[in-house]
């Protein structure tokens, strides 16, 4: 298992593309790697959604967990 940067819980690979529907969401394409990070406020957490940062970018936001799989 690769060393993860501080604050990164685990990484996922996008199995589907997702286009954000809100400013706090994250868009990605099939095959993108996303670092799953903790919510700034755990109370914001929604069932089935993760907070992540697209690897190689500074883009971060919410995304549906079922569009990705852990790697």
């Amino acid at each position: 298992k690769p060393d993860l940067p501080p604050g990164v819980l685990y990484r996922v690979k996008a199995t589907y593309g997702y286009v954000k529907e809100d400013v706090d969401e994250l868009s990605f394409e099939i095959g993108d790697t996303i670092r799953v990070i903790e919510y700034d406020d755990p109370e914001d957490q929604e069932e089935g959604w993760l907070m992540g940062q697209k690897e190689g970018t500074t883009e971060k936001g919410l995304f549906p967990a079922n569009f990705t799989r852990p790697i």
Side-chain angles (χ1 to χ4, degrees), residues 2-29:
D3 289 334
L4 296 171
V8 177
L9 305 176
Y10 56 97
R11 293 156 79 225
V12 296
K13 175 93 57 186
T15 46
Y16 301 93
Y18 182 71
V19 178
K20 65 181 179 183
E21 295 171 7
D22 217 327
V23 292
D24 63 353
E25 294 179 9
L26 182 68
S27 293
F28 50 79
E29 303 192 2

Side-chain angles (χ1 to χ4, degrees), residues 6-70:
V8 177
L9 305 176
Y10 56 97
R11 293 156 79 225
V12 296
K13 175 93 57 186
T15 46
Y16 301 93
Y18 182 71
V19 178
K20 65 181 179 183
E21 295 171 7
D22 217 327
V23 292
D24 63 353
E25 294 179 9
L26 182 68
S27 293
F28 50 79
E29 303 192 2
I30 294 176
D32 283 349
T33 300
I34 302 160
R35 296 173 174 183
V36 177
I37 55 180
E38 290 183 19
Y39 281 73
D40 297 332
D41 181 352
E43 295 195 356
D44 290 343
Q45 193 150 1
E46 284 184 63
E47 186 81 28
W49 288 76
L50 296 170
M51 171 69 76
Q53 179 189 354
K54 198 156 70 175
E55 208 152 85
T57 76
T58 55
E59 293 170 58
K60 76 172 204 177
L62 301 168
F63 65 94
N66 60 358
F67 280 61
T68 66
R69 63 174 173 76

